[in-house]
Amino acid sequence: MFDGIAGRYDLMNLVMTWGQEPRFVRRTVERAELPDSPVVLDLATGTGDIALEVLRSRYGARITGADFAPEMMEVGRNRPGGGQIDWVEADAMDLPFEDNTFDAVTHGYLLRNVADIPTTLAEQFRVLKPGGRMVALETSPAPDNIIKPFSTAYIKYVVPQISRLITRTPDAYEYLSATSRGFKTPAQIQALLEDVGFEDVGHETHLFGTLAIHWATKPL
């Protein structure tokens, strides 16, 4: 499914977030609090938005972009700077990396697409160095407020119609719409991170609460 929308994925993200996606990507990298010349793993890297932002923000960064959709990564490989990223086809629930390898693990829109979130988070905890940071950009179900009927209608009805025009694969975005509406709340994600062993766990919300940036630290 993701390979099928690879060529228009970035445009759809831009449209769905009303042009705010680049700002959210920058904010995600800021929350990683990267050291100089960091070693970073970007999971669900897709076309490399977060990985390329790390490259822009930290001179000497060594970045591995991992995803299970090779055609998505092929788009990223051909973007400016893509040749400086190590692209790896990998399963987020069984990472092919040694313990205590990375200064940071980042990902965008990963957790709603895995079968086992605790296992996925445990793998990130394992490959992080002590003191390393995990930062995730994720959708969130609309909070119960006056905006909820409008934001729910947007993601449920409008996004698939936009995708029909842009990608000609509305089924993919109907799936993404459903997983967004049915996904865990930021508080539930925080609890899962703490259960794995992370500390200093927090989040911030955007787009009327329908998108969240989560962060957590592996204890020293």
Side-chain angles (χ1 to χ4, degrees):
M1 180 187 71
F2 283 98
D3 281 339
I5 60 176
R8 294 297 184 96
Y9 182 76
D10 293 329
L11 177 59
M12 270 302 300
N13 277 352
L14 194 66
V15 171
M16 285 193 304
T17 61
W18 308 330
Q20 297 297 299
E21 180 74 3
R23 181 171 69 87
F24 300 145
V25 168
R26 288 193 298 271
R27 185 62 175 161
T28 300
V29 173
E30 288 172 4
R31 281 294 187 182
E33 299 179 1
L34 298 171
D36 294 334
S37 302
V39 181
V40 178
L41 171 63
D42 183 42
L43 289 172
T45 193
T47 60
D49 274 357
I50 294 176
L52 290 166
E53 181 61 29
V54 171
L55 194 67
R56 284 188 287 267
S57 67
R58 284 295 185 275
Y59 177 80
R62 289 180 290 159
I63 309 161
T64 298
D67 204 299
F68 68 162
E71 290 188 28
M72 293 279 283
M73 291 191 289
E74 187 61 27
V75 173
R77 188 178 284 110
N78 290 309
R79 295 175 66 179
Q84 300 179 57
I85 294 168
D86 183 21
W87 304 89
V88 176
E89 190 171 345
D91 180 354
M93 296 186 293
D94 186 18
L95 295 174
F97 308 110
E98 298 293 328
D99 297 358
N100 307 317
T101 298
F102 299 99
D103 296 304
V105 174
T106 60
H107 46 94
Y109 314 118
L110 165 68
L111 298 179
R112 70 182 185 191
N113 293 310
V114 296
D116 189 328
I117 293 175
T119 296
T120 301
L121 295 177
E123 276 292 272
Q124 295 174 35
F125 188 91
R126 178 182 67 79
V127 302
L128 273 171
K129 297 176 183 178
R133 297 269 286 182
M134 185 290 311
V135 186
L137 175 64
E138 279 291 348
T139 57
S140 296
D144 291 323
N145 57 30
I146 194 172
I147 301 295
K148 183 173 182 176
F150 303 100
S151 57
T152 299
Y154 176 73
I155 194 71
K156 186 176 182 179
Y157 300 112
V158 178
V159 166
Q161 292 304 313
I162 293 173
S163 74
R164 190 183 300 274
L165 296 173
I166 294 178
T167 70
R168 302 187 187 282
T169 54
D171 289 349
Y173 283 91
E174 286 171 1
Y175 160 79
L176 293 173
S177 170
T179 56
S180 296
R181 288 180 282 116
F183 191 53
K184 297 184 181 299
T185 66
Q188 290 172 321
I189 295 297
Q190 178 166 332
L192 289 169
L193 287 164
E194 291 170 345
D195 287 346
V196 169
F198 283 106
E199 61 182 21
D200 300 327
V201 179
H203 70 269
E204 63 186 38
T205 59
H206 301 271
L207 288 183
F208 307 107
T210 60
L211 186 143
I213 297 173
H214 304 266
W215 58 86
T217 302
K218 182 175 179 176
L220 292 170

